[in-house]
DNA sequence: ATCCGTGTTCGGCATAGTCGAACGTTATTC
DNA sequence: GAATAACGTTCGACTATGCCGAACACGGAT
């Protein structure tokens, strides 16, 4: 599957900038193995559209405001998000936990909805944050039903608890496929556990996942919380047009009669 | 200033998609005046990075989750945002109004921070929304001190009150430069008025603007609210390293002795 | 004042992108 | 139900386009 070289490079520049906040032209060129003048031409174009911005003092480059505009429109167009909003609210009240909804982006999970814990404390909005898929419950729920295999298997862990063994992860995913429920205990951040369930769409695929954020001190969660989560996932999936929940296993795991 | 053609086209595709949510390949090609196969090649690249997504049923294209990730990182890197956060909170409490902070993106204002009205009602988060610069107080505060002239002057109005006359707008901007305060009365959305002030950075430019959203029924706002707004803008500007507030008029309006 | 370290511009070569036409598939019509 | 139309997708050839190396300007260092 051929890609347009210059566009690919432009997107790589954005990705690099997204990882390291503010970089000089030379640094970007170095990380991508390109000539500075090549990068400059592309950045000039990104600059004209507001996708990157240049600090007037240090001359370094950052992401620009156009990225925010795009991200906001993405949220608006996401049917998943509007469908999940009402259910997440109720789920948070019932369980006393924060509720996250996420979608898969390559090997990561991007949070598209966040219902804060209903205890009135000020909490940072988490919409837009990215978590490695293999290290969170949302990610496991998504990977288990993803038609593409787990992208690059597991690179490296985030905490001591992170699962870095491909076969151990695969065993977990198999269980997720059977039960429809994925869990995670301090594998992404210490002190934080999670439990999640996939959200099926009309095509029978996992369009997203919804999950509870559970403090390690309250782990494992009550059975009633798990039931509420499962019910919410079922309800949202039905609204999305899915016929079954949990969704069927992806085709790659069903090689029965074709060879 | 030459731009890379294919990258420019890729960004145009994103912009079109951002305006019209979901489009077929042919529609995109039509709006850009390009061959469908050309657009397809670019979209395939955007697809590989998650910048666009394709619906599996209708085959149409939407923006993808990678846009959200970029937008979120942009917010994190924005010094303006973190500096404004504490002040906006106090300003909202003192005035009883919602507080918005925005930056300029070509001819529009992008909201980068939003402190809801402190009356406890559920309000939509407005971070990421885009408003034509000439139709809102934030935009006027920014345009008045923007080194580039008002991009394309005023195209067309949003409500009957929107200022569409370039000279009328320029007169307002001149007053903004003198007082440091910009206002808007139902020019963007009916029933909503605004008052805003620029935020100066170390370079003496308007890096952003902060403003109050005032219901039309409470317009004009009390003098104490205007004072509080001005004080907040001064404080944030000082934290950003600005020496003066309001910032000096842009160079394009100072052609004294050079020719 | 001089030297590095930047970001930026310019021009030639060849690669890499564009376009038109053909293909396969899916929805629509009679 | 068959034929048609519309759409996304693939392929190949032409040449316009973007890539790179070297030269230029600017700033802050020593």
């Amino acid at each position: 599957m051929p890609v347009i070289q210059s566009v690919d490079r432009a997107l790589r520049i954005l990705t690099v900038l997204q990882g390291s906040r503010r970089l000089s032209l030379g640094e970007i060129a170095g990380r991508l193995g390109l000539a500075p003048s090549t990068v400059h031409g592309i950045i000039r174009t990104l600059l004209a559209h507001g996708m990157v911005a240049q600090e007037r003092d240090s001359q370094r480059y950052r992401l620009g405001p156009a990225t925010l505009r795009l991200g906001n429109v993405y949220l608006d167009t996401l049917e998943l998000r509007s469908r999940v909003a009402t259910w997440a609210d109720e789920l948070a009240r019932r369980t006393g936990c924060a509720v996250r909804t996420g979608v898969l982006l390559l090997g990561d999970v991007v949070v598209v909805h966040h219902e804060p814990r209903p205890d009135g404390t000020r909490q940072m909005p988490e919409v837009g944050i990215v978590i490695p898929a293999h290290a969170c419950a949302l990610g496991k729920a998504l990977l288990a039903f993803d038609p593409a295999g787990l992208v690059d298997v597991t690179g490296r862990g985030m905490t001591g608890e992170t699962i870095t063994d491909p076969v151990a992860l695969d065993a977990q995913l198999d269980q997720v496929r059977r039960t429809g429920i994925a869990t995670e205990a301090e594998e992404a951040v210490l002190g934080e556990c999670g439990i999640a369930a996939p959200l099926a769409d009309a095509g029978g695929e996992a369009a997203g996942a919804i999950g509870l954020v559970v403090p390690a001190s309250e782990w494992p969660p009550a059975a009633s919380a798990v039931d509420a989560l499962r019910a919410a996932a079922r309800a949202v999936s039905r609204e999305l047009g899915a016929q079954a929940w949990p969704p069927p296993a992806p085709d790659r795991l069903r090689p029965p009669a074709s060879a």
Side-chain angles (χ1 to χ4, degrees), chain A residues 49-71:
Chain A
H49 287 258
M51 291 293 287
V52 305
Q54 185 169 205
E55 326 200 313
R56 54 181 298 101
D57 42 359
S58 69
Q59 299 201 126
R60 280 189 298 202
Y61 294 97
R62 305 187 300 100
L63 291 177
T67 60
L68 181 61
R69 179 174 56 170
L70 285 176

Side-chain angles (χ1 to χ4, degrees), chain A residues 46-129:
Chain A
L46 293 171
L47 212 46
H49 287 258
M51 291 293 287
V52 305
Q54 185 169 205
E55 326 200 313
R56 54 181 298 101
D57 42 359
S58 69
Q59 299 201 126
R60 280 189 298 202
Y61 294 97
R62 305 187 300 100
L63 291 177
T67 60
L68 181 61
R69 179 174 56 170
L70 285 176
N72 189 57
V73 171
Y74 164 72
L75 284 180
D76 275 0
T77 61
L78 204 62
E79 187 190 356
L80 182 73
R81 181 179 156 85
S82 53
R83 284 281 150 72
V84 105
T86 61
W87 293 98
D89 179 64
E90 195 193 318
L91 190 55
R93 271 206 313 273
R94 282 248 260 267
T95 61
C97 293
V99 176
R100 282 186 188 149
T101 306
V103 301
L104 204 57
L105 168 58
L106 277 23
D108 293 322
V109 172
V110 183
V111 175
V112 298
H113 185 86
H114 171 66
E115 186 68 40
R117 207 173 337 106
D119 61 2
T121 61
R122 275 250 172 180
Q123 292 157 63
M124 254 185 57
E126 292 177 342
V127 173
I129 66 169

Side-chain angles (χ1 to χ4, degrees), chain A residues 22-250:
Chain A
R22 43 192 79 220
L23 291 173
S24 72
L25 184 66
E27 288 171 326
I28 300 172
R31 299 194 190 198
L32 269 57
L34 297 174
S37 61
T38 303
V39 175
H40 179 73
I42 297 173
I43 286 215
R44 187 172 40 198
T45 308
L46 293 171
L47 212 46
H49 287 258
M51 291 293 287
V52 305
Q54 185 169 205
E55 326 200 313
R56 54 181 298 101
D57 42 359
S58 69
Q59 299 201 126
R60 280 189 298 202
Y61 294 97
R62 305 187 300 100
L63 291 177
T67 60
L68 181 61
R69 179 174 56 170
L70 285 176
N72 189 57
V73 171
Y74 164 72
L75 284 180
D76 275 0
T77 61
L78 204 62
E79 187 190 356
L80 182 73
R81 181 179 156 85
S82 53
R83 284 281 150 72
V84 105
T86 61
W87 293 98
D89 179 64
E90 195 193 318
L91 190 55
R93 271 206 313 273
R94 282 248 260 267
T95 61
C97 293
V99 176
R100 282 186 188 149
T101 306
V103 301
L104 204 57
L105 168 58
L106 277 23
D108 293 322
V109 172
V110 183
V111 175
V112 298
H113 185 86
H114 171 66
E115 186 68 40
R117 207 173 337 106
D119 61 2
T121 61
R122 275 250 172 180
Q123 292 157 63
M124 254 185 57
E126 292 177 342
V127 173
I129 66 169
V130 173
I131 313 166
H134 68 280
C136 65
L138 289 174
K140 291 178 188 174
L142 286 162
L143 287 178
F145 299 96
D146 193 48
L150 16 128
V151 189
D152 193 331
V153 207
T154 59
R156 185 184 45 226
M158 306 184 67
T159 72
E161 299 302 319
T162 311
I163 300 184
T164 54
D165 177 24
V167 314
L169 180 60
D170 218 30
Q172 283 206 2
L173 296 188
D174 208 56
Q175 187 175 342
V176 174
R177 274 185 283 271
R178 283 197 307 272
T179 63
I181 297 288
T183 64
E184 164 260 324
E186 306 193 63
E187 294 164 33
V189 322
L190 290 173
E192 212 176 273
C193 306
I195 175 169
L199 301 170
D201 65 4
E205 302 211 4
I210 187 170
L212 305 174
V213 182
V214 184
S217 57
E218 302 174 18
W219 187 258
S224 63
V226 182
D227 288 341
L229 172 64
R230 195 185 289 113
R234 272 217 172 85
V236 174
S237 298
R238 198 181 328 115
E239 288 192 11
L240 289 174
Q243 300 93 331
W245 192 95

Side-chain angles (χ1 to χ4, degrees), chain A residues 2-24:
Chain A
V3 296
I4 305 293
Q5 186 188 58
S6 53
V7 175
D8 185 67
R9 288 174 170 178
L11 297 176
R12 278 220 171 75
I13 291 175
L14 291 178
T15 306
V16 167
L17 238 42
Q18 176 239 86
S20 313
R21 274 75 220 278
R22 43 192 79 220
L23 291 173
S24 72

